Amino acid sequence: MRNEALGDVAKVWLYAAASVLLGAWVSPLFYNAGKALAEVSAVKETNGPLVWLAGHCRTADFPEFFEVAIVVSAIALFLPFMEWLHGGRNTDGGKVGTLRLPEGARARSGGQRLRKNPRGLFHLATGFIGVTLLFSSLAAVLLLAGIFEWKNAGVSLRWIVPKVLMVSVILAVVQEILFRGIAMGIFLRAMRPAAALGVSAVLFALVHLLHPTPQVNVLDPEASGVGFELLRKIAAQFSESRVVLGTLAPMLALGGVLAYARWKTASLCLPIGLHAGWIFVNGLLASVTVTSGRQDSMLWVLAGTTLQQGLVPLFGILIAGGLAVRFTSSADAPETPA
């Protein structure tokens, strides 16, 4: 059983690597298709959704198409990956609500089974509200310190808040199912809890670090292999200790907090709440503010271009981790592995 579980761990990493490599390969095709759509839309009348998509493609740079290509590649490879894991074959009847997870997440003879959480709504709401209030306070401090500045003093949040909230919830649910529901379930089946939490945090951080910073771009977005060029530039950033402290450390901490919340409650409700609050504040802040610092300054290590970067968000994440411990009680303790 342990060899089978370790094989599933390898499959998770191979799936992640295949999604990135396929996305890097097809990203020039996405770029050319997007820019072609923008050109056609500029001279020919199209319907509403295409006008909206063409508008985004017109202003988007290659790194944005690169990210979309990776996401689409991950979606395209997901069903083959699940079949590879023998997902959907209910050998032991285990499932979470109406969501059927692969054997690695359901756990037959070890690991930790996701279970129905009687305090799920409380965990969801408390996690979201707690993180939202915490990081909103940090954002206010950074605004007062002049590190962030308002894009437009008269900006209205009336339309921004519902949109950002909807996106935050959707992203949090999808990512928690993938990272904490499926991947971490497999890790818990193959490893001790501490190791599983660590590996889950590393996977989460590495995937999110594929988001290029504004300073990372390519000269010729139509060149062959340009997606791999951008991938090399993203990887090269992490030879600098400043970038490691400012970007990698916060994402590792966030991945660790979310993994702990999933393990402590044997449920996805608390990590979804915490994650949605984190995305919501960052999305809202990005919509109404700009940073006054440069990435090549040491001030960026303290607070980067968003609340996803820097030592200030790292401090906030550690506080959120402490709150996650307080949100849970002895009644939330996970099942003991067989």
Short mmCIF file of all heavy atoms in Angstrom, two decimals, residues 196-248:
data_model
loop_
_atom_site.label_atom_id
_atom_site.label_comp_id
_atom_site.label_asym_id
_atom_site.label_seq_id
_atom_site.Cartn_x
_atom_site.Cartn_y
_atom_site.Cartn_z
N ALA A 196 3.67 15.56 4.99
CA ALA A 196 2.60 15.83 4.02
C ALA A 196 2.26 17.31 4.00
O ALA A 196 2.04 17.89 2.92
CB ALA A 196 1.36 15.00 4.38
N LEU A 197 2.19 17.93 5.17
CA LEU A 197 1.92 19.37 5.24
C LEU A 197 3.03 20.16 4.55
O LEU A 197 2.76 21.12 3.82
CB LEU A 197 1.77 19.82 6.69
CG LEU A 197 0.33 19.83 7.26
CD1 LEU A 197 -0.25 18.42 7.32
CD2 LEU A 197 0.32 20.44 8.66
N GLY A 198 4.28 19.76 4.77
CA GLY A 198 5.40 20.45 4.16
C GLY A 198 5.42 20.32 2.65
O GLY A 198 5.60 21.31 1.93
N VAL A 199 5.21 19.12 2.15
CA VAL A 199 5.21 18.90 0.70
C VAL A 199 4.04 19.63 0.05
O VAL A 199 4.17 20.22 -1.03
CB VAL A 199 5.15 17.38 0.39
CG1 VAL A 199 4.97 17.14 -1.10
CG2 VAL A 199 6.41 16.70 0.88
N SER A 200 2.89 19.62 0.72
CA SER A 200 1.72 20.34 0.20
C SER A 200 2.01 21.84 0.10
O SER A 200 1.65 22.49 -0.89
CB SER A 200 0.52 20.10 1.12
OG SER A 200 -0.60 20.85 0.69
N ALA A 201 2.68 22.40 1.12
CA ALA A 201 3.01 23.83 1.10
C ALA A 201 3.99 24.15 -0.02
O ALA A 201 3.87 25.18 -0.69
CB ALA A 201 3.60 24.24 2.45
N VAL A 202 4.97 23.27 -0.24
CA VAL A 202 5.95 23.48 -1.32
C VAL A 202 5.26 23.46 -2.68
O VAL A 202 5.52 24.32 -3.53
CB VAL A 202 7.07 22.43 -1.24
CG1 VAL A 202 7.94 22.48 -2.49
CG2 VAL A 202 7.92 22.64 0.01
N LEU A 203 4.39 22.48 -2.90
CA LEU A 203 3.68 22.39 -4.18
C LEU A 203 2.85 23.65 -4.42
O LEU A 203 2.87 24.24 -5.51
CB LEU A 203 2.78 21.16 -4.19
CG LEU A 203 1.91 20.99 -5.44
CD1 LEU A 203 2.75 20.80 -6.69
CD2 LEU A 203 0.95 19.80 -5.26
N PHE A 204 2.12 24.08 -3.40
CA PHE A 204 1.29 25.27 -3.50
C PHE A 204 2.13 26.50 -3.83
O PHE A 204 1.79 27.30 -4.71
CB PHE A 204 0.55 25.48 -2.17
CG PHE A 204 -0.31 26.70 -2.11
CD1 PHE A 204 -1.57 26.70 -2.68
CD2 PHE A 204 0.13 27.86 -1.47
CE1 PHE A 204 -2.38 27.84 -2.62
CE2 PHE A 204 -0.67 28.99 -1.41
CZ PHE A 204 -1.92 28.97 -1.99
N ALA A 205 3.26 26.66 -3.14
CA ALA A 205 4.11 27.83 -3.36
C ALA A 205 4.72 27.83 -4.76
O ALA A 205 4.71 28.85 -5.45
CB ALA A 205 5.22 27.87 -2.31
N LEU A 206 5.23 26.69 -5.20
CA LEU A 206 5.86 26.61 -6.52
C LEU A 206 4.87 26.93 -7.63
O LEU A 206 5.22 27.64 -8.59
CB LEU A 206 6.48 25.23 -6.73
CG LEU A 206 7.70 24.90 -5.87
CD1 LEU A 206 8.18 23.49 -6.15
CD2 LEU A 206 8.82 25.90 -6.12
N VAL A 207 3.66 26.42 -7.52
CA VAL A 207 2.66 26.69 -8.55
C VAL A 207 2.34 28.18 -8.60
O VAL A 207 2.25 28.79 -9.67
CB VAL A 207 1.38 25.86 -8.31
CG1 VAL A 207 0.25 26.33 -9.21
CG2 VAL A 207 1.66 24.39 -8.55
N HIS A 208 2.18 28.81 -7.43
CA HIS A 208 1.82 30.23 -7.40
C HIS A 208 3.00 31.13 -7.78
O HIS A 208 2.78 32.27 -8.20
CB HIS A 208 1.29 30.60 -6.02
CG HIS A 208 -0.12 30.16 -5.79
ND1 HIS A 208 -0.45 28.85 -5.51
CD2 HIS A 208 -1.29 30.84 -5.87
CE1 HIS A 208 -1.76 28.75 -5.38
NE2 HIS A 208 -2.29 29.93 -5.60
N LEU A 209 4.21 30.64 -7.68
CA LEU A 209 5.36 31.45 -8.06
C LEU A 209 5.55 31.50 -9.58
O LEU A 209 6.43 32.20 -10.08
CB LEU A 209 6.63 30.91 -7.40
CG LEU A 209 6.68 31.09 -5.88
CD1 LEU A 209 7.93 30.46 -5.32
CD2 LEU A 209 6.61 32.55 -5.50
N LEU A 210 4.71 30.76 -10.32
CA LEU A 210 4.76 30.84 -11.78
C LEU A 210 4.14 32.14 -12.28
O LEU A 210 4.21 32.43 -13.47
CB LEU A 210 4.02 29.65 -12.40
CG LEU A 210 4.70 28.29 -12.22
CD1 LEU A 210 3.77 27.17 -12.68
CD2 LEU A 210 6.01 28.25 -12.99
N HIS A 211 3.53 32.90 -11.37
CA HIS A 211 2.98 34.20 -11.75
C HIS A 211 4.13 35.18 -11.96
O HIS A 211 4.83 35.54 -11.01
CB HIS A 211 2.04 34.72 -10.66
CG HIS A 211 1.55 36.12 -10.91
ND1 HIS A 211 0.67 36.41 -11.91
CD2 HIS A 211 1.83 37.29 -10.28
CE1 HIS A 211 0.41 37.71 -11.90
NE2 HIS A 211 1.12 38.27 -10.92
N PRO A 212 4.37 35.63 -13.21
CA PRO A 212 5.53 36.51 -13.45
C PRO A 212 5.32 37.89 -12.83
O PRO A 212 4.21 38.44 -12.82
CB PRO A 212 5.58 36.62 -14.99
CG PRO A 212 4.69 35.52 -15.49
CD PRO A 212 3.66 35.31 -14.43
N THR A 213 6.38 38.46 -12.30
CA THR A 213 6.32 39.83 -11.80
C THR A 213 6.33 40.80 -12.99
O THR A 213 6.71 40.42 -14.10
CB THR A 213 7.52 40.12 -10.89
OG1 THR A 213 8.73 40.00 -11.67
CG2 THR A 213 7.58 39.13 -9.74
N PRO A 214 5.94 42.05 -12.78
CA PRO A 214 5.93 43.01 -13.89
C PRO A 214 7.29 43.20 -14.56
O PRO A 214 7.36 43.61 -15.71
CB PRO A 214 5.46 44.32 -13.22
CG PRO A 214 4.68 43.87 -12.03
CD PRO A 214 5.37 42.63 -11.56
N GLN A 215 8.37 42.91 -13.83
CA GLN A 215 9.71 43.10 -14.39
C GLN A 215 10.14 41.95 -15.29
O GLN A 215 11.16 42.03 -15.97
CB GLN A 215 10.73 43.26 -13.26
CG GLN A 215 10.66 44.59 -12.53
CD GLN A 215 9.44 44.72 -11.65
OE1 GLN A 215 8.90 43.72 -11.17
NE2 GLN A 215 9.00 45.94 -11.41
N VAL A 216 9.38 40.85 -15.32
CA VAL A 216 9.74 39.68 -16.11
C VAL A 216 8.89 39.64 -17.37
O VAL A 216 7.67 39.54 -17.31
CB VAL A 216 9.54 38.38 -15.30
CG1 VAL A 216 9.87 37.16 -16.16
CG2 VAL A 216 10.39 38.39 -14.05
N ASN A 217 9.55 39.73 -18.51
CA ASN A 217 8.83 39.70 -19.78
C ASN A 217 9.78 39.15 -20.84
O ASN A 217 10.93 38.79 -20.53
CB ASN A 217 8.33 41.09 -20.16
CG ASN A 217 7.03 41.03 -20.97
OD1 ASN A 217 6.82 40.10 -21.76
ND2 ASN A 217 6.16 42.01 -20.77
N VAL A 218 9.33 39.08 -22.07
CA VAL A 218 10.14 38.56 -23.17
C VAL A 218 10.22 39.61 -24.27
O VAL A 218 9.34 40.47 -24.40
CB VAL A 218 9.56 37.25 -23.72
CG1 VAL A 218 9.66 36.14 -22.68
CG2 VAL A 218 8.11 37.43 -24.16
N LEU A 219 11.27 39.53 -25.08
CA LEU A 219 11.45 40.51 -26.14
C LEU A 219 10.54 40.24 -27.34
O LEU A 219 9.95 41.15 -27.89
CB LEU A 219 12.93 40.52 -26.59
CG LEU A 219 13.94 41.02 -25.56
CD1 LEU A 219 15.36 40.89 -26.10
CD2 LEU A 219 13.64 42.46 -25.18
N ASP A 220 10.44 38.97 -27.73
CA ASP A 220 9.64 38.60 -28.90
C ASP A 220 8.61 37.56 -28.50
O ASP A 220 8.90 36.36 -28.47
CB ASP A 220 10.54 38.05 -30.00
CG ASP A 220 9.76 37.74 -31.28
OD1 ASP A 220 8.55 38.03 -31.32
OD2 ASP A 220 10.38 37.22 -32.23
N PRO A 221 7.38 37.98 -28.18
CA PRO A 221 6.36 37.03 -27.71
C PRO A 221 5.88 36.06 -28.78
O PRO A 221 5.18 35.09 -28.46
CB PRO A 221 5.21 37.94 -27.25
CG PRO A 221 5.42 39.21 -27.99
CD PRO A 221 6.89 39.36 -28.17
N GLU A 222 6.25 36.28 -30.04
CA GLU A 222 5.82 35.38 -31.11
C GLU A 222 6.90 34.37 -31.48
O GLU A 222 6.67 33.53 -32.34
CB GLU A 222 5.43 36.20 -32.35
CG GLU A 222 4.26 37.15 -32.10
CD GLU A 222 3.84 37.89 -33.35
OE1 GLU A 222 4.36 37.55 -34.44
OE2 GLU A 222 3.01 38.81 -33.26
N ALA A 223 8.04 34.45 -30.85
CA ALA A 223 9.15 33.55 -31.18
C ALA A 223 8.86 32.13 -30.70
O ALA A 223 8.13 31.91 -29.72
CB ALA A 223 10.44 34.06 -30.55
N SER A 224 9.43 31.15 -31.40
CA SER A 224 9.28 29.76 -31.01
C SER A 224 9.98 29.52 -29.68
O SER A 224 11.11 29.96 -29.46
CB SER A 224 9.87 28.86 -32.09
OG SER A 224 9.82 27.51 -31.70
N GLY A 225 9.31 28.82 -28.78
CA GLY A 225 9.90 28.49 -27.49
C GLY A 225 9.94 29.63 -26.50
O GLY A 225 10.62 29.55 -25.47
N VAL A 226 9.20 30.72 -26.79
CA VAL A 226 9.26 31.88 -25.91
C VAL A 226 8.66 31.57 -24.53
O VAL A 226 9.05 32.18 -23.53
CB VAL A 226 8.55 33.08 -26.57
CG1 VAL A 226 7.05 32.83 -26.67
CG2 VAL A 226 8.83 34.37 -25.83
N GLY A 227 7.73 30.62 -24.47
CA GLY A 227 7.17 30.24 -23.18
C GLY A 227 8.22 29.65 -22.26
O GLY A 227 8.24 29.92 -21.05
N PHE A 228 9.12 28.86 -22.83
CA PHE A 228 10.20 28.27 -22.02
C PHE A 228 11.22 29.34 -21.63
O PHE A 228 11.84 29.26 -20.56
CB PHE A 228 10.88 27.14 -22.80
CG PHE A 228 9.97 25.99 -23.06
CD1 PHE A 228 9.39 25.80 -24.31
CD2 PHE A 228 9.66 25.08 -22.06
CE1 PHE A 228 8.55 24.74 -24.56
CE2 PHE A 228 8.81 24.01 -22.29
CZ PHE A 228 8.25 23.84 -23.55
N GLU A 229 11.39 30.35 -22.49
CA GLU A 229 12.27 31.47 -22.13
C GLU A 229 11.73 32.21 -20.91
O GLU A 229 12.48 32.53 -19.98
CB GLU A 229 12.37 32.44 -23.31
CG GLU A 229 13.20 33.67 -23.02
CD GLU A 229 13.12 34.71 -24.13
OE1 GLU A 229 12.69 34.36 -25.24
OE2 GLU A 229 13.47 35.89 -23.86
N LEU A 230 10.42 32.45 -20.90
CA LEU A 230 9.82 33.12 -19.75
C LEU A 230 9.92 32.25 -18.51
O LEU A 230 10.18 32.74 -17.40
CB LEU A 230 8.36 33.46 -20.04
CG LEU A 230 7.61 34.21 -18.95
CD1 LEU A 230 8.24 35.57 -18.68
CD2 LEU A 230 6.13 34.39 -19.31
N LEU A 231 9.75 30.96 -18.67
CA LEU A 231 9.83 30.03 -17.54
C LEU A 231 11.23 30.07 -16.94
O LEU A 231 11.40 30.06 -15.71
CB LEU A 231 9.50 28.61 -18.03
CG LEU A 231 9.25 27.55 -16.96
CD1 LEU A 231 8.09 27.94 -16.05
CD2 LEU A 231 8.95 26.21 -17.64
N ARG A 232 12.25 30.14 -17.78
CA ARG A 232 13.63 30.22 -17.28
C ARG A 232 13.86 31.53 -16.53
O ARG A 232 14.54 31.57 -15.50
CB ARG A 232 14.62 30.11 -18.44
CG ARG A 232 14.75 28.71 -19.02
CD ARG A 232 15.97 28.62 -19.93
NE ARG A 232 15.85 29.50 -21.09
CZ ARG A 232 15.29 29.17 -22.24
NH1 ARG A 232 14.78 27.95 -22.40
NH2 ARG A 232 15.25 30.02 -23.25
N LYS A 233 13.29 32.62 -17.02
CA LYS A 233 13.45 33.91 -16.36
C LYS A 233 12.76 33.91 -14.99
O LYS A 233 13.27 34.50 -14.03
CB LYS A 233 12.89 35.02 -17.23
CG LYS A 233 13.73 35.33 -18.46
CD LYS A 233 13.19 36.53 -19.23
CE LYS A 233 14.10 36.90 -20.38
NZ LYS A 233 13.62 38.09 -21.12
N ILE A 234 11.60 33.27 -14.91
CA ILE A 234 10.89 33.18 -13.62
C ILE A 234 11.74 32.40 -12.62
O ILE A 234 11.91 32.81 -11.46
CB ILE A 234 9.52 32.52 -13.80
CG1 ILE A 234 8.60 33.42 -14.63
CG2 ILE A 234 8.89 32.22 -12.45
CD1 ILE A 234 7.29 32.76 -15.02
N ALA A 235 12.32 31.28 -13.09
CA ALA A 235 13.15 30.45 -12.20
C ALA A 235 14.41 31.20 -11.79
O ALA A 235 14.88 31.07 -10.65
CB ALA A 235 13.51 29.14 -12.90
N ALA A 236 14.98 31.99 -12.71
CA ALA A 236 16.23 32.70 -12.42
C ALA A 236 16.07 33.73 -11.31
O ALA A 236 17.05 34.07 -10.63
CB ALA A 236 16.75 33.37 -13.69
N GLN A 237 14.85 34.24 -11.13
CA GLN A 237 14.63 35.24 -10.07
C GLN A 237 15.00 34.72 -8.69
O GLN A 237 15.41 35.48 -7.82
CB GLN A 237 13.15 35.66 -10.04
CG GLN A 237 12.66 36.42 -11.24
CD GLN A 237 11.21 36.79 -11.03
OE1 GLN A 237 10.90 37.91 -10.68
NE2 GLN A 237 10.32 35.84 -11.22
N PHE A 238 14.84 33.41 -8.50
CA PHE A 238 14.97 32.86 -7.16
C PHE A 238 16.41 32.51 -6.81
O PHE A 238 16.67 31.82 -5.83
CB PHE A 238 14.03 31.66 -7.01
CG PHE A 238 12.60 32.09 -7.15
CD1 PHE A 238 11.95 31.97 -8.36
CD2 PHE A 238 11.94 32.68 -6.09
CE1 PHE A 238 10.65 32.41 -8.51
CE2 PHE A 238 10.65 33.13 -6.22
CZ PHE A 238 10.00 32.99 -7.44
N SER A 239 17.35 33.02 -7.63
CA SER A 239 18.75 32.98 -7.23
C SER A 239 19.08 34.17 -6.34
O SER A 239 20.16 34.24 -5.75
CB SER A 239 19.65 33.01 -8.47
OG SER A 239 19.45 34.21 -9.21
N GLU A 240 18.12 35.12 -6.21
CA GLU A 240 18.31 36.30 -5.38
C GLU A 240 17.63 36.10 -4.03
O GLU A 240 16.45 35.77 -3.95
CB GLU A 240 17.72 37.54 -6.06
CG GLU A 240 18.26 37.82 -7.45
CD GLU A 240 17.58 39.02 -8.07
OE1 GLU A 240 17.24 39.98 -7.34
OE2 GLU A 240 17.38 39.01 -9.30
N SER A 241 18.39 36.29 -2.96
CA SER A 241 17.83 36.11 -1.61
C SER A 241 16.69 37.08 -1.35
O SER A 241 15.74 36.76 -0.62
CB SER A 241 18.93 36.28 -0.56
OG SER A 241 19.52 37.58 -0.66
N ARG A 242 16.76 38.27 -1.96
CA ARG A 242 15.70 39.27 -1.76
C ARG A 242 14.36 38.75 -2.28
O ARG A 242 13.32 38.93 -1.65
CB ARG A 242 16.09 40.55 -2.51
CG ARG A 242 15.05 41.64 -2.50
CD ARG A 242 15.60 42.86 -3.22
NE ARG A 242 16.07 42.53 -4.55
CZ ARG A 242 15.26 42.43 -5.61
NH1 ARG A 242 13.98 42.63 -5.48
NH2 ARG A 242 15.76 42.13 -6.80
N VAL A 243 14.39 38.08 -3.42
CA VAL A 243 13.16 37.54 -3.99
C VAL A 243 12.66 36.36 -3.18
O VAL A 243 11.46 36.19 -2.97
CB VAL A 243 13.38 37.14 -5.47
CG1 VAL A 243 12.12 36.51 -6.05
CG2 VAL A 243 13.79 38.36 -6.29
N VAL A 244 13.59 35.54 -2.70
CA VAL A 244 13.19 34.39 -1.88
C VAL A 244 12.48 34.86 -0.62
O VAL A 244 11.41 34.35 -0.25
CB VAL A 244 14.42 33.53 -1.53
CG1 VAL A 244 14.04 32.45 -0.52
CG2 VAL A 244 15.00 32.89 -2.78
N LEU A 245 13.07 35.87 0.05
CA LEU A 245 12.45 36.39 1.27
C LEU A 245 11.13 37.09 0.96
O LEU A 245 10.16 36.95 1.70
CB LEU A 245 13.40 37.39 1.95
CG LEU A 245 14.58 36.79 2.71
CD1 LEU A 245 15.50 37.91 3.18
CD2 LEU A 245 14.11 35.95 3.88
N GLY A 246 11.10 37.82 -0.15
CA GLY A 246 9.92 38.63 -0.44
C GLY A 246 8.77 37.88 -1.06
O GLY A 246 7.62 38.31 -0.94
N THR A 247 9.04 36.77 -1.75
CA THR A 247 7.98 36.07 -2.48
C THR A 247 7.80 34.63 -2.04
O THR A 247 6.69 34.19 -1.74
CB THR A 247 8.27 36.11 -4.00
OG1 THR A 247 8.40 37.46 -4.42
CG2 THR A 247 7.14 35.47 -4.78
N LEU A 248 8.90 33.87 -2.02
CA LEU A 248 8.78 32.44 -1.71
C LEU A 248 8.33 32.21 -0.27
O LEU A 248 7.44 31.38 -0.02
CB LEU A 248 10.13 31.75 -1.97
CG LEU A 248 10.18 30.25 -1.67
CD1 LEU A 248 9.17 29.50 -2.53
CD2 LEU A 248 11.59 29.70 -1.91
#
